[in-house]
Amino acid sequence: MKLTQKEMEIVEILEKDARLTTEDVAKMVCLSVEETEQAIKKLEDHKVIVRYISLIDWGKVEENTGVKAMIDVKVTPKRGVGFDEIAERIYRFKEVTSVYLMSGAYDLSVIIEGKSMNEVASFVSQKLSTLDSVLSTTTHFILKKYKHDGIIFEPDNKDKRIVVSP
């Protein structure tokens, strides 16, 4: 879908902060509230705007005991459907939060969430590795998130006072 300049501005604004009111977005793009509402509805109807989400720093939540892992997957593409069929089989698992087609040594990058490292290991060994097209996997556990979707989670809070010495 080809976007107008105003639609592109709206998408970029909402991607940075989806909590802005329609009135605020309208002012930022110099449109009326009605025109802005129509543009946003069109973007939602065409699935350009897929969903509005909150970005949570789970590292600050003590009760959060979950684990995230990135899994590099090498697969055999199938004639006529390429990587799409195996990607769809993988993203249908409830543990999977994201699947990307990649260039380089591995074909797919899969991000999953589990309650423990053992749960992630079980997913890889019992569900992912057993799929016909999967040739190999490499699992990377996410230990700490520093930046996600352009948001820095722990900004530099170092002491910025000037050192004074005699």
Side-chain angles (χ1 to χ4, degrees), residues 72-137:
D72 297 325
V73 185
K74 190 163 209 43
V75 300
T76 304
K78 291 192 176 178
R79 185 178 301 273
V81 293
F83 296 100
D84 295 347
E85 184 178 287
I86 187 65
E88 183 178 346
R89 287 188 69 195
I90 292 170
Y91 72 60
R92 292 198 178 278
F93 289 115
K94 66 176 177 52
E95 298 89 344
V96 175
T97 61
S98 303
V99 177
Y100 304 99
L101 178 62
M102 306 297 289
S103 63
Y106 290 90
D107 303 308
L108 299 173
S109 181
V110 179
I111 300 177
I112 71 164
E113 292 180 354
K115 293 179 182 161
S116 66
M117 290 178 124
N118 284 340
E119 190 175 289
V120 171
S122 292
F123 170 81
V124 173
S125 64
Q126 295 173 11
K127 293 181 180 177
L128 186 60
S129 296
T130 60
L131 295 174
D132 290 338
S133 297
V134 173
L135 300 174
S136 67
T137 64

Side-chain angles (χ1 to χ4, degrees), residues 1-165:
M1 171 179 183
K2 181 128 175 94
L3 300 183
T4 66
Q5 181 182 347
K6 294 293 182 182
E7 290 169 340
M8 193 65 184
E9 288 176 30
I10 291 169
V11 168
E12 289 171 351
I13 289 167
L14 290 177
E15 183 180 36
K16 288 185 178 105
D17 187 357
R19 293 187 67 187
L20 289 171
T21 65
T22 307
E23 291 78 14
D24 288 340
V25 175
K27 288 176 191 170
M28 295 168 82
V29 296
C30 300
L31 289 175
S32 71
V33 172
E34 295 76 26
E35 291 171 315
T36 305
E37 286 172 345
Q38 290 171 357
I40 291 172
K41 176 149 180 28
K42 176 184 170 187
L43 293 164
E44 291 170 345
D45 290 346
H46 284 89
K47 303 292 186 208
V48 173
I49 297 175
V50 179
R51 189 171 135 202
Y52 299 92
I53 62 168
S54 296
L55 183 58
I56 310 296
D57 185 353
W58 287 107
K60 293 183 178 174
V61 179
E62 289 181 28
E63 294 80 10
N64 180 45
T65 56
V67 212
K68 266 192 172 188
M70 298 171 71
I71 305 166
D72 297 325
V73 185
K74 190 163 209 43
V75 300
T76 304
K78 291 192 176 178
R79 185 178 301 273
V81 293
F83 296 100
D84 295 347
E85 184 178 287
I86 187 65
E88 183 178 346
R89 287 188 69 195
I90 292 170
Y91 72 60
R92 292 198 178 278
F93 289 115
K94 66 176 177 52
E95 298 89 344
V96 175
T97 61
S98 303
V99 177
Y100 304 99
L101 178 62
M102 306 297 289
S103 63
Y106 290 90
D107 303 308
L108 299 173
S109 181
V110 179
I111 300 177
I112 71 164
E113 292 180 354
K115 293 179 182 161
S116 66
M117 290 178 124
N118 284 340
E119 190 175 289
V120 171
S122 292
F123 170 81
V124 173
S125 64
Q126 295 173 11
K127 293 181 180 177
L128 186 60
S129 296
T130 60
L131 295 174
D132 290 338
S133 297
V134 173
L135 300 174
S136 67
T137 64
T138 303
T139 303
H140 310 274
F141 286 95
I142 298 173
L143 304 177
K144 184 175 181 178
K145 192 184 297 186
Y146 293 99
K147 185 176 182 178
H148 182 81
D149 285 344
I151 304 298
I152 297 170
F153 279 76
E154 292 192 26
D156 185 17
N157 290 329
K158 294 180 182 170
D159 189 354
K160 294 183 179 166
R161 293 179 288 179
I162 299 172
V163 177
V164 179
S165 58

